Amino acid sequence: MTNWQQQLPLTDTQKNELDKSVLRYLNWNYKQTVRHEHAQDYESVRHAIVTLSGFLLQESVDRQEFISNNDTSNESMVDIDELLLPKKWNSIVRLQKKIIELEQNTETLVSQIKDLNTQVSELAQFKPTTSNGASAHNVLKWIPRNLPSCLINVESSVTSVKLHPNLPIVFVATDHGKLYAFDLFNYTIPLASLQSHTKAITSMDVLFTNFTNSSKKNYLVVVTASKDLQIHVFKWVSEECKFQQIRSLLGHEHIVSAVKIWQKNNDVHIASCSRDQTVKIWDFHNGWSLKTFQPHSQWVRSIDVLGDYIISGSHDTTLRLTHWPSGNGLSVGTGHEFPIEKVKFIHFIEDSPEIRFRTPSTDRYKNWGMQYCVSASRDRTIKIWEIPLPTLMAHRAPIPNPTDSNFRCVLTLKGHLSWVRDISIRGQYLFSCADDKSVRCWDLNTGQCLHVWEKLHTGFVNCLDLDVDFDSNVTPRQMMVTGGLDCKSNVFMR
């Protein structure tokens, strides 16, 4: 074997097949030219092909194929044989492009895996060990950095966002009535999307059930309220990444403004409020309306629930406390100048005496289970209120305190330049978002604004969410999510 034959990365058989394929293609090209152009001066080309075949091919049987003039005989076989080289060439080019694409995708996936491993390591490092341990307190002191970790885009303005209490999933509701679920580690495509309502979703809440009855399987429930006057209840099927509708709740006569779901023992209830001025309590298991009452004279815009008590905020600028099993109105808060957009109870948390408003000031408030609430208004302020103790009687529904039935404003937070849309409390911090395109973090101990995230969105910031710190079934994580009028949702993670 000569030196140049050693340099050729082909066996003798492979070289012979390649030579035949080249000669076949040249022969086919010669015959097509003669046939279509009727040229007579291509005989020299054919003679060159015959000469090449004698030089390149060792077997006389192979050479005979090019020596004989088979211009018109057995054309179908000639087409198959003589076009084998260009077909293979085309296949190789397409295969090469595919290989390049796969290599690029592999590099991208490897980079994403490295980023995810880094994020998982950081999250594991700062994961709370116990609900009351030192690590948990560090998590509750977390303030998000200036820029979000990721940005989620949807088809219309975001009206509500909720974090999955256990998994890195965020649920996003939109002004077009669509409900999405996004994986926070791979958010380019939603895990699931559903046209849940015919009009805008106004509110959303989630609950991971904790049934003590072994016959009932625990799962995540997603509840949505809409301008189409309906409330829809969904089960999030994690194994299949889809929303499974359980039932619809019908009964309100106008826009359903807000919805709240909670569990007490094995009973799960849903509360809703509406522009029809009513608040309704629903049984989750059968969909029955258990109670309806009218705490306000105008549109009820927001509610929150703590045990047997509901606090509501209204277009009439007041907030009211109601004992929902009886429907008794217990107390009222006045002081806002414009409609109230959001109300929330401030829950007690254990072993936090240094945090203002998170521990009861007296044993009577401790036994009652609440003392403070917070409201956000279109007057650009956030107010924290002390709730007066009602008259509590054994085996009877509570009634208003005849000497003290008015909320007492103990702190007013000023700084937003437009309507305050949503609020969330964790540890000693209160987070708020507003139509001034900003999110703010306030210190409950001092009332000072600690940090401002400006221009997170190009439009109004409609909603935000963080993990709660008062539920033993929820492990607080260093995550915050916001949603805005610009069809975007910003996610902050440690």
Side-chain angles (χ1 to χ4, degrees):
M1 182 178 291
T2 62
N3 185 45
W4 67 268
Q5 288 177 322
Q6 291 179 349
Q7 295 177 358
L8 188 66
L10 296 174
T11 64
D12 291 341
T13 303
Q14 291 173 335
K15 177 181 177 303
N16 189 61
E17 290 298 324
L18 177 60
D19 292 339
K20 284 195 295 183
S21 298
V22 173
L23 291 170
R24 285 170 180 168
Y25 172 67
L26 292 174
N27 194 42
W28 174 86
N29 197 13
Y30 156 74
K31 289 187 292 185
Q32 296 301 317
T33 305
V34 172
R35 179 182 300 171
H36 296 291
E37 299 183 12
H38 305 287
Q40 302 299 324
D41 56 349
Y42 282 92
E43 190 61 31
S44 59
V45 176
R46 176 168 176 77
H47 180 71
I49 294 173
V50 174
T51 303
L52 282 173
S53 66
F55 175 74
L56 296 174
L57 305 178
Q58 303 298 324
E59 299 293 335
S60 60
V61 177
D62 296 334
R63 293 195 299 269
Q64 188 63 32
E65 176 185 336
F66 303 98
I67 295 173
S68 60
N69 187 356
N70 54 357
D71 188 21
T72 58
S73 62
N74 202 6
E75 291 186 358
S76 61
M77 186 188 72
V78 170
D79 288 342
I80 294 174
D81 291 339
E82 295 179 340
L83 292 179
L84 182 61
L85 182 64
K87 289 178 181 177
K88 284 187 175 181
W89 177 265
N90 188 41
S91 299
I92 291 173
V93 171
R94 286 189 283 110
L95 181 60
Q96 187 178 17
K97 290 181 179 179
K98 190 66 176 178
I99 290 173
I100 294 174
E101 292 177 0
L102 290 175
E103 289 177 345
Q104 292 175 345
N105 291 337
T106 301
E107 291 178 0
T108 303
L109 291 174
V110 169
S111 176
Q112 291 179 355
I113 290 173
K114 290 180 179 179
D115 292 341
L116 291 178
N117 288 335
T118 302
Q119 294 177 17
V120 169
S121 299
E122 291 179 350
L123 289 174
Q125 179 182 357
F126 290 93
K127 183 179 179 180
T129 54
T130 62
S131 60
N132 297 320
S135 297
H137 284 295
N138 290 335
V139 171
L140 298 183
K141 292 180 180 179
W142 173 72
I143 296 179
R145 55 190 177 186
N146 291 329
L147 298 177
S149 303
C150 61
L151 179 63
I152 296 173
N153 293 282
V154 291
E155 92 293 342
S156 62
S157 61
V158 179
T159 55
S160 184
V161 289
K162 286 292 178 182
L163 288 166
H164 191 296
N166 303 317
L167 300 177
I169 297 174
V170 61
F171 300 100
V172 180
T174 73
D175 193 54
H176 285 179
K178 293 199 73 172
L179 180 61
Y180 294 92
F182 286 92
D183 185 342
L184 293 180
F185 290 148
N186 186 12
Y187 50 85
T188 53
I189 300 177
L191 293 174
S193 63
L194 178 69
Q195 186 66 49
S196 57
H197 292 273
T198 57
K199 292 185 179 180
I201 297 175
T202 56
S203 177
M204 173 174 54
D205 199 17
V206 298
L207 170 73
F208 195 86
T209 59
N210 186 28
F211 298 121
T212 57
N213 189 341
S214 59
S215 62
K216 292 184 179 181
K217 185 178 179 181
N218 293 313
Y219 51 87
L220 185 79
V221 181
V222 181
V223 186
T224 58
S226 171
K227 290 183 179 180
D228 62 9
L229 319 188
Q230 299 185 25
I231 301 164
H232 290 169
V233 184
F234 301 94
K235 173 184 177 182
W236 172 248
V237 185
S238 299
E239 297 81 5
E240 303 177 28
C241 292
K242 71 174 185 179
F243 296 102
Q244 177 183 322
Q245 185 166 352
I246 300 175
R247 60 179 47 86
S248 297
L249 306 178
L250 305 175
H252 283 293
E253 298 177 358
H254 214 308
I255 293 172
V256 186
S257 310
V259 68
K260 189 75 178 178
I261 183 171
W262 75 100
Q263 181 175 357
K264 184 177 181 181
N265 300 323
N266 284 328
D267 296 326
V268 179
H269 296 108
I270 298 172
S272 60
C273 63
S274 169
R275 194 172 180 177
D276 63 12
Q277 304 175 15
T278 66
V279 175
K280 289 182 178 289
I281 310 297
W282 311 81
D283 189 310
F284 164 78
H285 297 290
N286 53 37
W288 294 347
S289 176
L290 302 178
K291 193 74 178 180
T292 300
F293 53 91
Q294 184 176 337
H296 297 272
S297 59
Q298 294 185 35
W299 188 349
V300 187
R301 302 196 65 92
S302 178
I303 54 173
D304 196 17
V305 181
L306 181 55
D308 291 340
Y309 298 90
I310 284 184
I311 188 171
S312 55
S314 171
H315 213 72
D316 63 11
T317 74
T318 68
L319 59 160
R320 294 178 181 269
L321 181 71
T322 305
H323 180 254
W324 69 260
S326 64
N328 292 344
L330 302 178
S331 50
V332 60
T334 58
H336 282 295
E337 299 176 358
F338 288 95
I340 295 174
E341 287 289 328
K342 185 69 67 171
V343 292
K344 284 194 175 182
F345 284 108
I346 301 179
H347 293 251
F348 296 148
I349 55 176
E350 298 179 2
D351 301 329
S352 298
E354 74 282 359
I355 303 179
R356 189 182 180 191
F357 308 125
R358 303 308 304 270
T359 52
S361 60
T362 66
D363 289 338
R364 293 185 64 191
Y365 275 115
K366 181 178 181 179
N367 295 332
W368 191 36
M370 70 183 77
Q371 184 173 0
Y372 300 101
C373 66
V374 59
S375 61
S377 170
R378 294 183 182 179
D379 62 11
R380 303 178 293 179
T381 67
I382 302 165
K383 292 182 180 289
I384 296 178
W385 312 80
E386 183 179 60
I387 306 172
L389 278 164
T391 301
L392 303 174
M393 299 174 289
H395 310 298
R396 293 186 182 181
I399 59 175
N401 188 329
T403 60
D404 185 11
S405 60
N406 292 313
F407 289 17
R408 184 172 66 92
C409 181
V410 293
L411 181 63
T412 299
L413 305 177
K414 297 181 179 180
H416 281 294
L417 304 178
S418 188
W419 298 1
V420 185
R421 291 287 189 174
D422 202 359
I423 47 179
S424 182
I425 294 178
R426 199 168 75 165
Q428 71 183 69
Y429 301 135
L430 183 148
F431 296 85
S432 61
C433 63
D435 284 358
D436 59 9
K437 307 177 186 178
S438 74
V439 175
R440 290 176 178 262
C441 176
W442 310 82
D443 190 332
L444 292 177
N445 289 332
T446 63
Q448 294 180 347
C449 181
L450 301 179
H451 194 82
V452 181
W453 293 267
E454 293 183 321
K455 298 180 180 179
L456 280 178
H457 298 266
T458 57
F460 301 160
V461 187
N462 294 326
C463 50
L464 58 82
D465 190 39
L466 297 94
D467 288 327
V468 298
D469 58 7
F470 54 83
D471 189 347
S472 59
N473 297 316
V474 177
T475 301
R477 299 161 294 182
Q478 295 171 314
M479 292 183 181
M480 182 177 76
V481 58
T482 65
L485 193 68
D486 56 1
C487 312
K488 292 179 174 59
S489 180
N490 288 301
V491 181
F492 296 83
M493 294 188 291
R494 175 64 170 83

